[in-house]
Amino acid sequence: MSELDLAWLCKVRVAIGRLGEMDLHRWWNTDGQLGPYGARMLSRGLPRTHYFAQAKSVFAVAAHRSSQVFNPPNCSTLWHLTGAVEDEFDSKWESWLDDAVNWRPFFEQVAAVGVATVPSVLASLGLVSDEEIRKSEELLRRSASNNAVQLPNVFARTRQCVSLLALGHRLSDTGDLRVPYIMRNSP
C-alpha cells in the first residue's frame, strides 16, 4: 500500500470540493467558489494565493456540511482523517502557497469541471486509477440510514483508503449528500 501524499490529498479535496458546489452537485452551500467565478472574485485581493483561499473556504464548508449529515464518533471522512494527518496537512499549506504558480494549471482544470460523475472527474484529473474506481464499485454501498457510505476495515494512512473516501461520494445524488466514512482504530 502506498503512503499518503498530502499534495495528492489536497488535489482530491479540491476536486470533490468543486463537485459538491451548488452549481454542480449541490452537496454544500458554496456556489462556484472553486469555479471561474470564484477565481475572478478572489484574484483581485489575493493575486498569488487566491486558489488556496478558495480551496480552504470550500474545505471548511464541505467539512461542516458533511458533519451535519453524518458525524459518527471515532470515524474519518475525506474532510477529517485524523488529528495527526490534519496537522501535517496544515503544516504543508505554506509550502503550497509558496509554489502557487505550479498549482495554477490544476486549479484551472478543476474550475472548468462541469456536472460529471465523481469517478470520471477524479480520473480525468489523474487522481485515481481505473483499478481504484473498479475497487470502489465492488466495495462501496450506501448505509442502511441512506445518509452515509461506510468503507470496510479501519482507517489506514494510505492513498487507497483516501481514494475510497473520495470515490464514495459517487453514491451521493444531486442535492443529497451521502458521507463516505471509515472507522478508526482508536479515538
Side-chain angles (χ1 to χ4, degrees):
M1 289 205 246
S2 62
E3 177 72 13
L4 185 59
D5 174 348
L6 295 176
W8 172 83
L9 172 61
C10 184
K11 289 179 179 182
V12 168
R13 285 178 170 175
V14 168
I16 296 297
R18 175 67 184 121
L19 283 170
E21 293 197 276
M22 292 301 285
D23 58 321
L24 296 179
H25 288 284
R26 300 191 321 259
W27 298 329
W28 30 82
N29 195 18
T30 58
D31 194 1
Q33 181 88 19
L34 285 165
Y37 177 74
R40 277 193 308 277
M41 296 311 295
L42 283 175
S43 66
R44 294 176 187 164
L46 302 165
R48 186 178 64 84
T49 61
H50 65 91
Y51 292 119
F52 289 96
Q54 292 167 251
K56 191 158 257 197
S57 171
V58 172
F59 294 174
V61 173
H64 179 71
R65 179 65 184 139
S66 293
S67 70
Q68 285 179 320
V69 171
F70 190 75
N71 191 21
N74 198 32
C75 291
S76 291
T77 69
L78 181 63
W79 309 107
H80 185 77
L81 299 174
T82 66
V85 172
E86 297 307 326
D87 288 346
E88 288 179 51
F89 185 83
D90 290 343
S91 73
K92 292 284 190 184
W93 200 259
E94 197 65 37
S95 67
W96 296 332
L97 290 175
D98 291 341
D99 192 33
V101 69
N102 290 318
W103 282 76
R104 182 182 180 140
F106 172 76
F107 278 102
E108 288 174 347
Q109 281 183 291
V110 170
V113 165
V115 175
T117 67
V118 168
S120 67
V121 169
L122 292 175
S124 72
L125 294 169
L127 298 172
V128 297
S129 67
D130 290 340
E131 175 64 20
E132 288 167 319
I133 292 169
R134 186 190 60 71
K135 190 163 192 93
S136 77
E137 290 168 352
E138 290 174 7
L139 294 175
L140 302 180
R141 302 286 176 260
R142 292 177 181 165
S143 69
S145 64
N146 210 31
N147 63 345
V149 177
Q150 183 175 5
L151 276 66
N153 302 318
V154 295
F155 177 77
R157 188 189 163 126
T158 63
R159 174 187 165 114
Q160 291 82 1
C161 184
V162 175
S163 69
L164 283 174
L165 285 170
L167 286 163
H169 285 86
R170 74 176 172 76
L171 295 171
S172 296
D173 294 322
T174 299
D176 190 13
L177 174 64
R178 289 175 180 91
V179 179
Y181 73 99
I182 189 166
M183 299 298 295
R184 293 186 199 143
N185 271 328
S186 60

